[in-house]
Amino acid sequence: MQADERFTDATWPASPEKATLEGKNKYLGFWLFLGGETVLFASLFATYLALKDKVPNGDAALAKDLFELPLTFVATMLLLTSSLTSVYAMYHMKNNHFKQMQAWLVITVALGFAFLGLEIYEFNHYVHEFHHTFTSSAFGSAFYTLVGFHGAHVAFGLVWIISLMVRNARRGLNLYNAPKFYVASLYWHFIDVVWVFIFTVVYLMGMVG
Amino acid sequence: MDIICITFLHSEGHGIDFYVLGLQISGLGTLIAGINFLVTIINMRTPGMTYMRMPLFTWSTFVVSALILFAFPPLTVGLVLMMFDRMFGSNFFDVAAGGNTIIWEHLFWIFGHPEVYILILPAFGIFSEIFATFSRKRLFGYSSMVFATVLIGFLGFMVWAHHMFTTGLGPIANAIFAVATMAIAVPTGIKIFNWIFTMWGGSVKFTVPMLYAVAFIPSFTMGGVTGIMNASAPADYQFHDSYFVVAHFHYVIVGGVVLGLLAGITFYWPKMFGTMLSEKLGKVTFWTFLIGFHLTFFIQHFLGLMGMPRRVFTFLDNQGLNTGNMISTVGAFLMAFAVIVMVINIIMTSAKNEKVGNDPWGDGRTLEWAIPSPPPFYNFKQLPLVRGLDPYWVEKMEGKKEMTPAEPLGDIHMPNSSILPLTISFGLFVAAFGALYNMDDKTWTLPIIIVGLLITFVSMLIRSVKDDHGFHIHKEDLMDDKDKGGKA
């Protein structure tokens, strides 16, 4: 099967991301990469839990002083919804509906930017209202490293998805770029799953414990 | 307070930064290579090559790649934390600001212990091939060998705290990690016995690779026995940070990994370069290296028990340590001599360059010996059909000279060459060079870091948006090659 062959809805394979050997390799390789990323975030979570509320003196802000549910709840909803819209995009990809796929990806990216904006606002708020900075305490270092690593992943994912959309805007789907879209959406789901853990471990556990 | 702590406790100069950045970049390369091996082994096996027909070397590479995938990210995180502390003033390891240095110990050893299995398992794979080849007999207990390799890989993640018995994690943690560590002796023991039983009743040929393999068994087992001694937590309080530990891990690393590398280089040399190494000089290298190795490291067990500490570059006079260290030094010179002989061997045989055929040892069992030495860049013209364990041996036993093809002769799809991986890593080199001097508050470092990262990310972007469909070697061109014409 030629990778740049043109397809009709009838000839488009059911799993275009795995229809070529190159696609299959990319698909599996990326799943494995996400396995490694899981361990990376697990290490950051462990570091955060070990250093949570570890501050040099009594004046420093602790987790329960910092975190507020409304803001992080909105951020969580934005990112969870963006994961859902990326599923819709992949649904249309599998049905060879290029325009609809692009439209859902635009919504995904927009939600991702909104999330990132809230995160920047949140960090800014902690720094200016609570003097909770990257260098103020071990707690601060661990917090900004864990949540910042996730934020950097979100930013990387946004650049990735946008460049895929721009690159393929004129030529539509084929078996060469279908795995690329699919893998980018896998990455986006992974970012979302990590955030679910950050929301639980950092924010919810931070407010109650 | 903060300032004083930092000035007194951190390492001066750029040594640590060099090590952090260098490991970070090479760790990334290792991780990607590990994923590459995993995907290749899972997706691209030839028809008939089931998992339980794979050569042991392929199995051990497979397990090692999985270890790389899960062991390197904790090292990445540990190095990031240290880099942030040194470059950006974070407080992960600054106790005065709430930091905790034990986090470093954990992250490092969660990587560090699987890493020693990342080193030894490929050597186990190489030795398994060599034992079977030169005993001219299939590997004893193939399936138990596979099982043991997987089990060692799994248990390798459960034992990291045995490097931290004296840290003060408490008796329960120490007991659990001591027992888990001793459990690893079981699959390793299975392997040792399987290798011995492979030789048992075989028609053994003592070539240079086989000599290394035979010498490996007692040498590595001695390292294993001191490993069990170190694994008993109460005894480890005595051994910890002494030369006893140095002797232990050199017995497993030199007696295992380095002997494996020397054996593997000799064994696969004709396959890689199309000419044999001299057996005569190879035997000189083998004997001087083996004697030098035991001379260097055996005495260090006793130096350690006499109280000589590790991680100190010298020792005081008149403490009874001089003779032992002298013996050790003589042994090290013998090993250096052995390696020099090996280099001479390589130069002499390369100059002569006597070409060899597909199967220069005459007893090759696995697929690589069915194709020319060195192999053509596309390896097989037609994918071979695998009909059992040691597929080339299976064909030989039926009187055939070559593998049966599994497909008609057709075009071979190959990837294009690309400069981009080089520019991606060059960008990282530039960025790391800038970061190395960032601690000195020099103004030129920040632009260099930014330029380096730009080179890397722009190269990645180009690689992503530029279509690269590879190319085909055409059937007609393959037919033209004289040696071993294809069968349609």
Side-chain angles (χ1 to χ4, degrees):
Chain A
M1 222 177 287
Q2 284 297 97
D4 47 0
E5 187 185 328
R6 300 300 307 177
F7 287 90
T8 64
D9 285 1
T11 58
W12 187 243
S15 293
E17 75 278 6
K18 288 181 284 187
T20 61
L21 179 63
E22 283 70 26
K24 243 183 254 174
N25 287 349
K26 199 165 274 182
Y27 173 83
L28 178 64
F30 202 79
W31 266 111
L32 293 168
F33 174 74
L34 290 182
E37 287 262 279
T38 307
V39 184
L40 183 105
F41 276 102
S43 308
L44 288 170
F45 274 109
T47 306
Y48 174 80
L49 285 175
L51 296 178
K52 186 190 165 206
D53 289 344
K54 294 290 189 308
V55 290
N57 53 54
D59 306 333
L62 300 179
K64 62 178 181 348
D65 311 321
L66 286 169
F67 304 142
E68 286 165 31
L69 197 54
L71 181 74
T72 47
F73 178 74
V74 173
T76 306
M77 281 302 132
L78 286 174
L79 207 59
L80 285 178
T81 312
S82 82
S83 218
L84 179 69
T85 56
S86 82
V87 173
Y88 288 149
M90 285 312 107
Y91 169 78
H92 288 297
M93 190 274 279
K94 290 199 171 199
N95 288 304
N96 201 18
H97 299 153
F98 180 68
K99 289 243 160 61
Q100 288 93 321
M101 182 194 80
Q102 291 280 75
W104 282 113
L105 285 180
V106 168
I107 300 172
T108 306
V109 167
L111 289 167
F113 273 112
F115 170 86
L116 214 52
L118 276 189
E119 186 150 277
I120 292 167
Y121 165 80
E122 182 200 352
F123 282 8
N124 198 39
H125 178 71
Y126 295 153
V127 169
H128 290 105
E129 301 294 318
F130 296 95
H131 304 292
H132 176 69
T133 71
F134 185 63
T135 52
S136 66
S137 64
F139 172 44
S141 305
F143 170 78
Y144 287 109
T145 302
L146 171 60
V147 184
F149 250 74
H150 175 266
H153 274 74
V154 172
F156 187 88
L158 289 173
V159 174
W160 183 2
I161 294 176
I162 290 170
S163 59
L164 273 180
M165 288 194 317
V166 172
R167 169 67 182 94
N168 297 295
R170 278 154 185 256
R171 63 172 177 180
L173 282 165
N174 57 37
L175 290 185
Y176 181 71
N177 60 25
K180 294 189 174 213
F181 279 108
Y182 193 86
V183 156
S185 95
L186 273 184
Y187 177 81
W188 196 257
H189 284 306
F190 173 76
I191 290 172
D192 197 42
V193 172
V194 172
W195 180 262
V196 170
F197 281 90
I198 291 183
F199 182 63
T200 312
V201 172
V202 176
Y203 294 104
L204 290 183
M205 283 165 65
M207 277 176 278
V208 296
Chain B
M1 178 69 184
D2 277 1
I3 311 262
I4 295 168
C5 285
I6 288 166
T7 358
F8 281 134
L9 288 178
H10 84 186
S11 298
E12 304 280 336
H14 298 296
I16 298 286
D17 303 285
F18 181 80
Y19 139 69
V20 167
L21 293 160
L23 262 178
Q24 204 70 283
I25 295 173
S26 58
L28 198 61
T30 311
L31 184 81
I32 305 289
I35 292 176
N36 199 341
F37 279 126
L38 284 168
V39 172
T40 308
I41 292 171
I42 294 172
N43 273 356
M44 299 178 77
R45 280 167 289 128
T46 195
M49 180 59 87
T50 59
Y51 280 103
M52 292 311 273
R53 285 177 184 173
M54 288 199 313
L56 240 276
F57 191 22
T58 313
W59 256 112
S60 58
T61 306
F62 184 57
V63 173
V64 158
S65 301
L67 293 188
I68 287 173
L69 181 62
F70 296 120
F72 271 73
L75 176 71
T76 304
V77 170
L79 294 174
V80 162
L81 304 187
M82 179 153 73
M83 193 171 80
F84 282 3
D85 266 15
R86 290 174 67 87
M87 281 173 58
F88 308 127
S90 61
N91 301 303
F92 293 105
F93 307 128
D94 183 1
V95 179
N100 185 342
T101 54
I102 308 298
I103 293 172
W104 168 264
E105 287 191 36
H106 278 297
L107 288 176
F108 182 82
W109 286 116
I110 289 171
F111 152 77
H113 197 82
E115 167 65 19
V116 304
Y117 293 104
I118 292 170
L119 295 176
I120 195 64
L121 286 178
F124 283 179
I126 291 170
F127 283 130
S128 300
E129 303 301 323
I130 290 172
F131 277 119
T133 302
F134 295 111
S135 303
R136 292 181 272 187
K137 187 165 161 276
R138 71 172 270 176
L139 191 70
F140 186 91
Y142 171 85
S143 41
S144 70
M145 216 55 163
V146 171
F147 174 74
T149 307
V150 176
L151 193 62
I152 290 173
F154 179 74
L155 287 176
F157 280 100
M158 309 291 163
V159 297
W160 80 87
H162 69 212
H163 298 271
M164 301 163 62
F165 280 152
T166 61
T167 301
L169 300 178
I172 292 176
N174 279 5
I176 290 170
F177 280 97
V179 171
T181 304
M182 291 184 199
I184 292 194
V186 176
T188 316
I190 290 175
K191 280 177 164 294
I192 298 278
F193 282 111
N194 279 340
W195 287 319
I196 294 172
F197 287 136
T198 303
M199 287 188 287
W200 185 273
S203 158
V204 181
K205 217 168 28 173
F206 282 101
T207 59
V208 172
M210 188 63 170
L211 286 175
Y212 282 114
V214 173
F216 150 79
I217 291 183
S219 306
F220 187 82
T221 306
M222 284 168 74
V225 169
T226 51
I228 296 291
M229 292 169 74
N230 285 325
S232 21
D236 186 65
Y237 273 74
Q238 285 301 311
F239 307 137
H240 188 84
D241 251 346
S242 79
Y243 254 67
F244 189 82
V245 177
V246 175
H248 156 70
F249 68 70
H250 280 87
Y251 260 81
V252 284
I253 298 296
V254 182
V257 183
V258 177
L259 289 185
L261 287 175
L262 293 172
I265 287 172
T266 319
F267 186 52
Y268 290 113
W269 192 268
K271 186 47 67 187
M272 289 190 284
F273 301 107
T275 184
M276 293 283 267
L277 289 176
S278 150
E279 283 280 293
K280 205 176 282 171
L281 286 177
K283 279 177 185 164
V284 174
T285 300
F286 166 74
W287 284 110
T288 43
F289 191 89
L290 187 73
I291 294 167
F293 156 64
H294 283 281
L295 207 56
T296 307
F297 296 112
F298 188 73
I299 190 79
Q300 290 182 358
H301 293 110
F302 301 98
L303 285 169
L305 293 176
M306 286 148 94
M308 183 167 154
R310 69 187 276 214
R311 299 198 172 105
V312 180
F313 82 98
T314 189
F315 54 91
L316 291 175
D317 203 6
N318 298 324
Q319 301 207 324
L321 302 174
N322 295 22
T323 317
N325 278 286
M326 186 63 201
I327 293 170
S328 213
T329 306
V330 171
F333 273 101
L334 263 181
M335 282 194 286
F337 174 78
V339 175
I340 290 168
V341 173
M342 181 157 196
V343 173
I344 292 170
N345 191 348
I346 289 171
I347 294 170
M348 275 175 59
T349 52
S350 304
K352 269 197 227 150
N353 203 13
E354 287 168 20
K355 287 294 169 200
V356 292
N358 296 358
D359 185 14
W361 296 105
D363 296 308
R365 308 179 71 82
T366 42
L367 287 177
E368 67 268 32
W369 305 109
I371 54 173
S373 318
F377 66 101
Y378 49 81
N379 291 352
F380 288 90
K381 273 181 191 160
Q382 293 163 281
L383 287 180
L385 179 69
V386 171
R387 301 192 296 143
L389 180 65
D390 296 338
Y392 190 39
W393 188 260
V394 170
E395 302 295 330
K396 280 182 186 172
M397 288 299 106
E398 294 186 5
K400 299 197 184 119
K401 294 254 181 311
E402 55 192 21
M403 299 299 299
T404 314
E407 55 176 9
L409 189 67
D411 294 355
I412 299 177
H413 187 208
M414 299 290 294
N416 284 321
S417 305
S418 168
I419 188 80
L420 287 169
L422 192 70
T423 54
I424 291 173
S425 38
F426 176 73
L428 290 176
F429 163 75
V430 173
F433 189 82
L436 194 53
Y437 291 95
N438 190 255
M439 277 212 333
D440 300 344
D441 298 321
K442 291 201 172 81
T443 46
W444 54 268
T445 56
L446 196 62
I448 296 233
I449 295 174
I450 292 169
V451 167
L453 289 178
L454 270 179
I455 295 174
T456 296
F457 282 115
V458 170
S459 305
M460 283 170 72
L461 186 70
I462 294 172
R463 199 188 167 286
S464 175
V465 298
K466 209 180 113 201
D467 282 11
D468 184 353
H469 293 295
F471 68 99
H472 284 89
I473 315 171
H474 294 291
K475 190 156 95 173
E476 295 73 29
D477 300 331
L478 289 171
M479 289 292 236
D480 289 346
D481 287 359
K482 284 215 186 52
D483 60 325
K484 312 250 278 154
K487 280 174 290 190

